[in-house]
Amino acid sequence: MRNLILGGARSGKSRLAEQLASTSGLAVTYIATSQPLDGEMNARVQLHRQRRPADWGLIEEPLALAAVLRAEAAEGRCLLVDCLTLWLTNLLMLEDDQRLAEERDALLACLEQLPGTVILVSNETGLGVVPMGELTRRYVDLAGWLHQAVAERCQRVVLTVAGLPLMLKGPAL
């Protein structure tokens, strides 16, 4: 089962993903895409670490997400990726359009073949005003297109608002 959990900042999306992983009854590997480059991001990472069970595996991969998913996915395992928009930001900051396209295409190509359970978390950024800056507009556009393509390949898509899951596609939670 492939799951996409979307939501805004502090919407409860990561907590919902962690609950799904915990109740799956499977061995869980958490794939973190963040690069904690400042104090605020370090604090966010620490909060996530404190919430995770000690028996979960951890892989920190800011760029080569598809390669990690292909290597780690297996029947009887749950992979939790948090989050796609941080991964996209990491690729955007490389200022290498070819690498961004290659990594995005690799992710989309591998999703439907992955065995086991995959839970993908991402920030829904397309509900606000159109950003003024070129890079920010590009980010919002790329995130929106990525979410559409990932949602198409997932059996369950959930939008999380105020800690409440809104089912967009697939079986109820």
Side-chain angles (χ1 to χ4, degrees):
M1 165 82 71
R2 290 173 306 283
N3 303 270
L4 174 61
I5 300 178
L6 299 165
R10 300 291 187 228
S11 64
K13 63 191 175 297
S14 293
R15 186 177 310 257
L16 175 61
E18 291 162 4
Q19 289 171 350
L20 279 176
S22 287
T23 60
S24 72
L26 304 172
V28 178
T29 299
Y30 188 99
I31 303 169
T33 62
S34 71
Q35 297 184 86
L37 302 175
D38 60 45
E40 188 272 338
M41 194 56 151
N42 275 318
R44 285 178 181 258
V45 168
Q46 287 304 320
L47 176 67
H48 283 259
R49 284 182 180 152
Q50 290 168 2
R51 280 199 321 237
R52 286 195 302 264
D55 63 333
W56 285 12
L58 172 65
I59 297 173
E60 296 176 340
E61 179 49 59
L63 301 171
L65 182 56
V68 169
L69 289 170
R70 282 191 304 270
E72 298 295 322
E75 290 300 329
R77 288 186 86 183
C78 176
L79 303 181
L80 192 167
V81 177
D82 200 352
C83 83
L84 291 180
T85 43
L86 283 174
W87 169 75
L88 180 63
T89 299
N90 296 337
L91 290 166
L92 266 172
M93 299 314 289
L94 291 178
E95 296 183 13
D96 181 348
D97 289 344
Q98 182 175 346
R99 174 81 189 269
L100 189 154
E102 288 170 356
E103 293 293 341
R104 180 199 59 226
D105 293 348
L107 173 66
L108 296 175
C110 83
L111 274 180
E112 291 180 287
Q113 286 90 38
L114 296 174
T117 298
V118 178
I119 303 169
L120 304 159
V121 177
S122 200
N123 292 289
E124 179 51 66
T125 59
L127 298 174
V129 298
V130 176
M132 290 180 60
E134 179 183 346
L135 179 60
T136 310
R137 280 192 305 273
R138 184 169 180 230
Y139 164 78
V140 170
D141 288 348
L142 288 170
W145 293 324
L146 178 66
H147 291 159
Q148 290 178 53
V150 170
E152 183 179 311
R153 290 160 174 81
C154 287
Q155 290 106 345
R156 178 187 289 142
V157 180
V158 181
L159 177 64
T160 308
V161 179
L164 300 173
L166 304 169
M167 299 305 301
L168 302 178
K169 177 182 176 183
L173 297 174

